[in-house]
Amino acid sequence: MSRKGFIPLGNRMGEGRPPGFDIGGTAVVQWAVARLRRIGLWGRGLVLAVPYVWLLLFFLIPFLIVFKISFSEAVLAQPPFTGLFEWLTDDSGEGGKLQIILNLGNYIRLWSDDLYVLAYLSSLKMAAISTLLCLLVGYPMAYAIALAPPARRGPLMMLVILPFWTSFLIRVYAWIGILKANGILTGILSSLGLVDEHFEILYSDTAVYIGITYTYLPFMILPLYATLEKLDRTLLEAAADLGCRPWEAFLKITLPLSMPGIIAGSLLVFIPAVGEFVIPELLGGPDTLMIGKVLWNEFFSNRDWPVASAVAIALLAFLVVPIMIFQYVQGKGHDGEVR
Amino acid sequence: MRRPGFLSWALWFGYAFLYVPIALLIVYSFNENRLVTVWSGFSVKWYGELLENEQLLSAARLSLEVGAISATVSTVLGTIAGLALARFGRFRGRTLFGGMITAPLVMPEVITGLSLLLVFVALEGLTGWPDGRGMTTITIAHTTFTMAYVAVVVQSRLVSMDESLEEAAMDLGARPAKVFFVITLPIISPAIVSGWLLAFTLSLDDLVIASFVSGPGSTTLPMVIFSSVRFGVSPQVNALATIIVLLVSAGIFVASVLMTRQERQRVRDEQMAQQGG
C-alpha cells in the first residue's frame, strides 16, 4: 500500500494546527505551547505521550528496579531488602560521598545451587516439548481451516479462539478431574482393561505437557492460520502439474512458506511457557521443576525478594534472544503490509 | 484438496481436544455427588451453595470492577498506541515504544508481576502513593499488560484498513483530531470493542500478576478459585466454571452477531454510495 498523498506525519509532529490559528490566552500560554511544539509534545506528540509515559513508568522502569534489587540483600524490614546507595557524610555532616554496595551473592547462589540451574534447564526443556506438541496439533488444524471454503473459515477459527476467552484457570482445572486417579480418563482406560484403576497421569510432567499444549494451542494456530491462509494455492497446483507428489509439495512449498507463522506461533507459546507457574503448580508433581514455581516460592514462601529478583533477571536473560526474534517477526509482519 | 481425510481428522481431533474437557466440566457441575468424578444423579445444589458463598461473591465483584476499569483505561491507551504504531510513521523513540508494546504479550507473568510490585513499593517509598496495595495497584497492573493486546488488535485493523478515506478528509482540510473521530474511529470501532472485551477477559482471568500486586483484603476471583483448586477438584468450582463459560459464550455470540450486522450494513452503504456516485 502506498503512503504517498498521506502527509508524512512524522514531520508534522510539532505543527498540529494550521498557521494563524489563535490559541488564545496569555503570552505565557503561547510561549508554553511554542516550547512544547519545539520538543514535539504538541498535538500528536502530546497524545502519544500518555501511553508512552505509562509504559515507561509501569513496564520499563520496573525491570530496572528488579535489576537493582537483585543486587541487594534480604532483611527483615519493610520493604524486605537493603538499599544499594548510601550517602555517607562525616561527623560534621559535610563532605558527603556516595557508597554503592553491589551484592553479587544472589547470582552466585543461583549458579552454585543445583536447584536453580536444574529448574532453568528443565523449564526450557518442558517449554520446548510443549511448543513442539502445540505445533503438531495446531499445524494440521490451521492448514485444514485455511483449505476450507472461505465462508466456513471464520466460524472454524471462532471455534479455535472461543476456549481462549473462557477462564485459563478453569481450563487447567478441567484437566485435574480428567487426569487424576479414579478420574474420567483412568475410568475409560481401566474399563478397556489397559491400566488398573489407580493409574494416574496427574501430578507428573506429562500432565504439565498436556496442560500447556491445551491452554496455549490458540496462540499457535492464530499466526499459523494467518500465513497459511495467504499462501498462493496456484503454487501447489503448478507443483502437482509438474508431477510433484502431495507430501513432497507440502515439504518443499507449504512448509517453507509458512515458516513466519511457525516461528511466531512457536515463540508465542515457548516464551511464556518457560516462566509458567499455574500449570506446573496445579498439574505437575513434586518433581516437576519449573523456574516460575521457584520464583513464586522464593517470593511468597521464603519472602526473599532479592533472590526472586535475581531469578527473574536470569530468566529474562534466557528469554532476551527469543523475545527479540519475536519482536523482529512482529515488526516485519506489520511493516511488510504497510509499505 | 490434498489428503482431505487426514486433515479433517486432525481438525476434528483438535476440536475434541479443545472442547471435551470443558464439556465434561459442565456435565459434572450437575453431579449430585461430592466426589466430582463419580456420577450419582442430577442436581443443581452446587449452584445454590455457590450463591451463598460470600467470599466468592465479593471476590467476583472486585474482579468485575477491576476488569471494567482496567479494560476501559487500557482500551484508550492501547488505541492511541496502536494508532501511533500504524499511522504516525517514524517518531522519536518508536523502536522503544514498539518494543514496550509487544514485549508484554510474551513476558512470563511471574516477571511482570514481580516487577510491578517492586515499582509500587519504590513509588510508595518515594511519594507515599499508592498507599498500600489493593484494587488500585491491581487495576494499574492489569491496564499495563492488557494495553499491549488492545494495541496489537487496533494496529492490525488499521494496517488492513483503506487509508484513502483518511487521506481524502485530510485533503479536504480536516484536522488530524477530526479525521480520527469522524473517519477512523467509526471504522475501527469493531476492533476497539474486541480489544475491550479481550482486555476485560484477560483481567478477569489473571491470577499471577494480581497475586503479586494485591494486598490484604483485596482478593480477586482467580485467587479464590486457585486456593480452592490447589487442594483438588471441588463441585462448587465446576458450577462456577459452567457459569463463566456460559456467560463468556453468550457475550462472544452477541458481540459477533452485532459486529457481523454492522459489517454487512457498512458493505451495503459502500455499495450504495458507489452506485449513487
Side-chain angles (χ1 to χ4, degrees):
Chain A
M1 202 183 294
S2 153
R3 291 179 66 88
K4 97 178 133 82
F6 197 55
I7 302 134
L9 301 169
N11 307 336
R12 290 177 48 102
M13 280 247 294
E15 27 184 313
R17 286 152 192 267
F21 185 87
D22 186 18
I23 290 166
T26 58
V28 179
V29 174
Q30 289 187 353
W31 175 82
V33 168
R35 283 303 295 252
L36 284 173
R37 273 187 184 169
R38 205 168 312 143
I39 58 171
L41 263 182
W42 188 251
R44 268 166 211 289
L46 197 60
V47 172
L48 178 60
V50 182
Y52 211 124
V53 169
W54 183 289
L55 284 173
L56 283 178
L57 187 60
F58 294 117
F59 191 73
L60 193 65
I61 293 178
F63 286 118
L64 302 179
I65 296 177
V66 174
F67 191 61
K68 188 195 115 184
I69 289 171
S70 72
F71 289 107
S72 66
E73 259 179 286
V75 286
L76 277 175
Q78 194 59 256
F81 48 84
T82 57
L84 297 188
F85 309 105
E86 228 171 308
W87 191 250
L88 299 178
T89 49
D90 53 23
D91 294 336
S92 58
E94 284 171 27
K97 57 185 171 183
L98 184 67
Q99 177 186 273
I100 304 175
I101 308 161
L102 286 185
N103 168 31
L104 292 171
N106 300 324
Y107 289 99
I108 294 167
R109 190 167 139 196
L110 287 194
W111 182 245
S112 55
D113 193 332
D114 278 351
L115 168 81
Y116 300 104
V117 179
L118 287 176
Y120 281 115
L121 293 178
S122 136
S123 303
L124 292 174
K125 184 194 89 183
M126 297 189 76
I129 293 177
S130 312
T131 308
L132 201 64
L133 288 172
C134 273
L135 195 60
L136 287 177
V137 180
Y139 198 102
M141 285 182 79
Y143 198 30
I145 298 172
L147 290 180
R152 257 200 268 159
R153 287 179 204 162
L156 286 174
M157 272 315 280
M158 193 71 194
L159 280 176
V160 170
I161 302 166
L162 197 62
F164 166 77
W165 289 85
T166 66
S167 168
F168 163 79
L169 199 53
I170 278 166
R171 278 180 294 144
V172 177
Y173 166 76
W175 282 97
I176 298 181
I178 298 174
L179 298 177
K180 71 183 188 127
N182 308 317
I184 297 161
L185 187 64
T186 323
I188 297 170
L189 291 180
S190 65
S191 68
L192 292 173
L194 291 173
V195 293
D196 73 77
E197 62 187 44
H198 299 294
F199 175 75
E200 185 173 55
I201 301 176
L202 190 63
Y203 308 128
S204 70
D205 287 1
T206 314
V208 177
Y209 292 137
I210 295 174
I212 298 180
T213 309
Y214 182 65
T215 46
Y216 286 86
L217 191 59
F219 291 108
M220 178 62 88
I221 295 179
L222 277 172
L224 279 176
Y225 169 74
T227 48
L228 284 169
E229 195 212 5
K230 277 186 238 143
L231 197 91
D232 188 354
R233 220 73 72 67
T234 55
L235 289 174
L236 290 177
E237 281 162 24
D241 290 348
L242 295 172
C244 195
R245 286 161 196 274
W247 61 267
E248 225 177 334
F250 173 78
L251 285 181
K252 285 186 176 160
I253 297 168
T254 314
L255 203 58
L257 284 177
S258 59
M259 226 16 144
I262 295 177
I263 295 172
S266 301
L267 291 172
L268 270 173
V269 175
F270 178 77
I271 302 171
V274 173
E276 185 54 58
F277 162 75
V278 177
I279 298 171
E281 175 73 18
L282 291 181
L283 302 180
D287 314 331
T288 307
L289 259 186
M290 283 194 81
I291 201 66
K293 236 173 102 177
V294 172
L295 196 159
W296 180 282
N297 288 334
E298 287 297 346
F299 184 85
F300 287 101
S301 309
N302 301 345
R303 302 227 156 260
D304 195 333
W305 293 20
V307 167
S309 303
V311 170
I313 293 295
L315 175 56
L316 211 52
F318 276 111
L319 296 180
V320 156
V321 173
I323 290 176
M324 281 169 74
I325 298 173
F326 174 70
Q327 303 215 323
Y328 176 73
V329 176
Q330 277 286 101
K332 214 170 81 172
H334 283 303
D335 289 353
E337 286 167 58
V338 175
R339 261 141 217 133
Chain B
M1 294 296 116
R2 260 145 270 271
R3 284 188 299 168
F6 168 72
L7 279 181
S8 51
W9 273 110
L11 190 61
W12 292 118
F13 168 77
Y15 284 135
F17 178 59
L18 285 174
Y19 284 95
V20 166
I22 297 175
L24 288 173
L25 203 69
I26 294 174
V27 170
Y28 279 94
S29 77
F30 296 106
N31 184 4
E32 190 239 331
N33 203 309
R34 178 163 286 281
L35 293 167
V36 174
T37 48
V38 181
W39 185 266
S40 67
F42 181 87
S43 155
V44 289
K45 68 174 176 186
W46 305 116
Y47 290 87
E49 277 193 22
L50 195 66
L51 293 175
E52 284 160 20
N53 189 337
E54 252 322 301
Q55 188 204 8
L56 205 139
L57 289 180
S58 73
R61 223 170 293 132
L62 177 72
S63 278
L64 288 174
E65 277 173 42
V66 168
I69 300 172
S70 68
T72 307
V73 179
S74 83
T75 301
V76 173
L77 295 177
T79 303
I80 298 173
L83 188 75
L85 289 175
R87 289 285 189 270
F88 283 18
R90 301 192 186 286
F91 54 85
R92 237 181 292 160
R94 189 188 196 280
T95 316
L96 177 66
F97 190 65
M100 289 195 298
I101 282 293
T102 46
L105 296 178
V106 289
M107 191 59 70
E109 289 168 317
V110 282
I111 297 183
T112 314
L114 178 69
S115 64
L116 278 163
L117 168 73
L118 294 177
V119 88
F120 290 135
V121 170
L123 269 177
E124 196 178 350
L126 285 174
T127 64
W129 178 91
D131 188 18
R133 290 183 292 280
M135 190 181 153
T136 316
T137 48
I138 303 176
T139 308
I140 292 174
H142 282 180
T143 304
T144 310
F145 92 93
T146 55
M147 191 171 140
Y149 288 84
V150 180
V152 169
V153 171
V154 170
Q155 183 192 4
S156 56
R157 180 72 189 93
L158 280 168
V159 163
S160 65
M161 177 186 140
D162 189 359
E163 279 180 44
S164 56
L165 279 175
E166 289 167 324
E167 288 165 16
M170 294 278 250
D171 289 347
L172 293 172
R175 286 195 284 108
K178 187 161 188 187
V179 174
F180 175 74
F181 284 108
V182 177
I183 309 285
T184 318
L185 195 61
I187 294 179
I188 63 170
S189 60
I192 293 179
V193 171
S194 44
W196 190 92
L197 285 171
L198 188 60
F200 182 68
T201 37
L202 285 168
S203 164
L204 275 193
D205 208 17
D206 166 65
L207 165 76
V208 175
I209 295 171
S211 299
F212 274 98
V213 300
S214 78
S218 55
T219 311
T220 61
L221 188 59
M223 288 159 76
V224 175
I225 299 177
F226 182 67
S227 58
S228 65
V229 162
R230 231 176 181 170
F231 304 105
V233 285
S234 104
Q236 274 195 26
V237 174
N238 275 36
L240 180 68
T242 305
I243 294 175
I244 293 179
V245 168
L246 292 182
L247 282 181
V248 168
S249 316
I252 299 285
F253 181 73
V254 170
S256 66
V257 166
L258 287 179
M259 267 184 233
T260 320
R261 189 179 294 168
Q262 201 192 6
E263 182 69 18
R264 267 198 216 122
Q265 180 69 38
R266 197 182 61 80
V267 171
R268 213 178 299 140
D269 287 350
E270 265 173 25
Q271 281 170 349
M272 277 169 71
Q274 274 167 3
Q275 283 163 1

